[in-house]
Amino acid sequence: MKTDLTKVLAISGQSGLYLYISSTRSGAVVEALSDKKRSAVSASSKITSLADISIYTDDEEVKLQQVLLNMKEVLGDADAPSAKSKPEELKALFEKALPTYDRDRFYVSHMKKVVEWYNALKKYASLDFVNPDEEAEEAPEQE
């Protein structure tokens, strides 16, 4: 099954990734990817869809989905290095996966989050993503 990054959420102050289930009057109901436990999240929490995240490069911003696909190409079936890996190891991975990443604005702390997300998606979901462009093209044909 393909993963829809518009429904996969990172919630500030909480570890792991969450799947959007539905909205409530005061926020949203989410399900942890790792243990499938559902919880309510307040609308005041900083909730970010992975589809909305981009990484700075020297000449543009690259969507997280493309970065994850590049990492999959570089890593094959292997997991990404742990977030506890040495900074040099993380930088070496991104040198291969995204050679033009902006060294002044894409920090090791960001790299740690990206490798955590990559490993979580690989383990609990899929690195085969729903492509928003394909979805838009398929919709009129089904009518």
Side-chain angles (χ1 to χ4, degrees):
M1 193 167 112
K2 291 189 174 197
T3 301
D4 183 355
L5 287 183
T6 61
K7 295 184 178 181
V8 178
L9 310 173
I11 303 171
S12 182
Q14 296 187 30
S15 64
L17 292 174
Y18 297 84
L19 187 62
Y20 172 82
I21 302 297
S22 68
S23 61
T24 64
R25 272 188 267 147
S26 60
V29 175
V30 297
E31 180 179 275
L33 280 184
S34 59
D35 60 11
K36 304 291 185 211
K37 288 185 180 175
R38 290 189 177 189
S39 58
V41 179
S42 167
S44 63
S45 299
K46 187 170 189 295
I47 302 171
T48 307
S49 162
L50 293 193
D52 295 335
I53 297 173
S54 294
I55 308 248
Y56 295 114
T57 65
D58 293 333
D59 36 74
E60 63 181 344
E61 291 182 14
V62 176
K63 288 283 188 190
L64 180 63
Q65 177 172 326
Q66 186 57 53
V67 174
L68 294 171
L69 290 171
N70 292 358
M71 289 171 66
K72 181 180 173 185
E73 208 171 283
V74 168
L75 294 166
D77 289 335
D79 287 344
S82 157
K84 295 180 174 136
S85 299
K86 293 181 178 174
E88 297 77 30
E89 192 176 345
L90 295 170
K91 288 178 182 178
L93 170 62
F94 283 95
E95 285 284 340
K96 293 176 191 164
L98 192 64
T100 60
Y101 79 86
D102 187 333
R103 278 112 181 109
D104 295 328
R105 297 193 292 177
F106 185 55
Y107 306 112
V108 171
S109 60
H110 300 144
M111 292 175 190
K112 288 179 180 183
K113 278 189 178 166
V114 173
V115 296
E116 280 179 351
W117 294 338
Y118 178 90
N119 288 333
L121 288 169
K122 183 175 184 282
K123 186 172 182 179
Y124 302 114
S126 163
L127 293 171
D128 185 16
F129 302 113
V130 170
N131 188 336
D133 299 333
E134 288 173 11
E135 292 281 313
E137 289 172 14
E138 289 175 14
E141 292 174 13
Q142 293 174 351
E143 290 179 13

